[in-house]
Every structure is written in structure tokens, then in C-alpha cells.
Amino acid sequence: MAGYRRVVHRGEGQSLPLVALFSALIFVMIGFAIDGGMLYTQRRLMQNTADAACLAASNRLALNKTGEAETAAQEIVQTNLGTTPGAGVNAPGTLAYTAVSDIYTPKAGTGANLTRGIEIAGSDVRVALQSPANTFFLRVVGIGSYTVAARAHCDSKSAGGGVPFAVARWRGYDTSGDVASDGLTTDLTLPQYYTQGAKARS
């Protein structure tokens, strides 16, 4: 193979654009993962708060304490999303409200279309919370904030509501072997002992 000469073409720097492109894609994917995880966490926190506030208001309605219903819901929101006095009012994480009341005021919408507010109509309670939230990594691609929202709907009389009940004691027998009571009662002293051959009292 006389006279054969291998020619090598050098292409220095050709891989640099690919590395830069894939680095940018990886950064965006990491940003979505981190910001998406924080979004999910804050969304779950706000939904739990809306559910608890709705149940608290419904509980007051079921106890005929209508005047306390909305206040009970507001207190739940304050407890879950507020912080200790003097330390600011923003919840840890990305939620970006100034005051806790900003999450449910001013009211927006009504009924099934309620998007922010606490609405009580008879036995029906609706709670809708909404807050802006900040991003971190996604600011690089122009997404600096997003809205976190949650809604809950309760009815204090749905499915019959909460009905108190008592368990009646066994009627038992007296010392003569007769049934101590013709009907169920909660007044007899326990325990009541069975006497063989006891008969119903006439």
C-alpha cells in the first residue's frame, strides 16, 4: 500500500453546541421538577386548609351556631397558612400573599362558580382559596409566578347530618327473678345479672 496516507479531519469545538443545548434542557427539566414539586406541596396544603375550613363552618351550622360559622372557617385558614405573630404572615414555601385574608378576600364568584371567598347559604358551605406563588428555576424561561387555588364544598345536613345517639342498657332482672323493666332504659345500675328461669313482670 505504498503511497497511501491517512487523512484526519479535525473538528474541534463541534460538540460544544450539543453540550450547551442538553445542559439547557436538563436545567429546564430540573426546574420543572423542583418548582412542580413545590407547586404540588403548596396546592396540597391549600386544599387541606379549604377542606378543614369548610368542615369547621359546617360543624357550627350543625350545632345551630350560624353566627360562628364563617369565623370558624377563617380561623382554620389563619391556623394553617399563617405564622406566629412578628414572623410575618407568609406560609413557608412559595405562596406570595401579603395577609392571610388575601387568600379568601375579596370574594370572587358565587355558588359553584366561587373562585375566592367563604360562602354560607343555609346549610351549604363553600370555601375557595387562591394565592399567587413564586417560582425559582422557571424564572429563567420567563415563568415567574403561578396561581395556586383550592375549593371545598360541604353541606351540614347532607346524608342526614350528625345525629346524637345513646346505647340502651339491657333491661336486666331484679332480686326476685323478674325483668326489672318492661322497656329499654338507661337508668338501671350495671351490672345486671341473669337469673335462671326469670319471667317477665306482669
Side-chain angles (χ1 to χ4, degrees), residues 3-187:
Y4 174 78
R5 186 173 67 178
R6 185 177 180 183
V7 178
V8 178
H9 296 281
R10 295 182 178 274
E12 296 179 356
Q14 290 182 358
S15 62
L16 186 60
L18 292 176
V19 171
L21 175 62
F22 282 111
S23 296
L25 289 175
I26 290 173
F27 182 84
V28 170
M29 291 175 63
I30 292 174
F32 272 116
I34 294 176
D35 282 335
M38 296 184 71
L39 167 62
Y40 177 81
T41 300
Q42 297 300 327
R43 170 68 175 75
R44 188 69 261 166
L45 170 64
M46 190 170 285
Q47 185 62 57
N48 289 344
T49 301
D51 292 342
C54 193
L55 290 173
S58 293
N59 176 266
R60 295 300 189 279
L61 294 179
L63 296 174
N64 292 322
K65 298 180 179 179
T66 307
E68 301 177 9
E70 185 169 350
T71 301
Q74 293 173 355
E75 288 175 352
I76 291 294
V77 176
Q78 174 64 48
T79 299
N80 286 8
L81 298 178
T83 57
T84 56
V89 294
N90 284 332
T94 60
L95 297 181
Y97 53 84
T98 303
V100 177
S101 60
D102 294 343
I103 298 175
Y104 56 85
T105 57
K107 183 180 177 184
T110 184
N113 297 318
L114 183 71
T115 57
R116 183 172 57 214
I118 299 172
E119 184 177 85
I120 300 172
S123 63
D124 196 65
V125 180
R126 294 180 185 271
V127 176
L129 308 179
Q130 190 178 101
S131 173
N134 296 322
T135 63
F136 294 95
F137 290 93
L138 292 182
R139 294 180 183 181
V140 176
V141 293
I143 304 175
S145 64
Y146 48 80
T147 299
V148 179
R151 298 194 297 176
H153 178 208
C154 304
D155 189 331
S156 61
K157 294 183 179 179
S158 179
V163 180
F165 65 92
V167 177
R169 299 172 180 171
W170 170 248
R171 291 177 290 179
Y173 300 93
D174 62 18
T175 54
S176 67
D178 292 337
V179 177
S181 174
D182 290 334
L184 296 178
T185 179
T186 59
D187 297 329

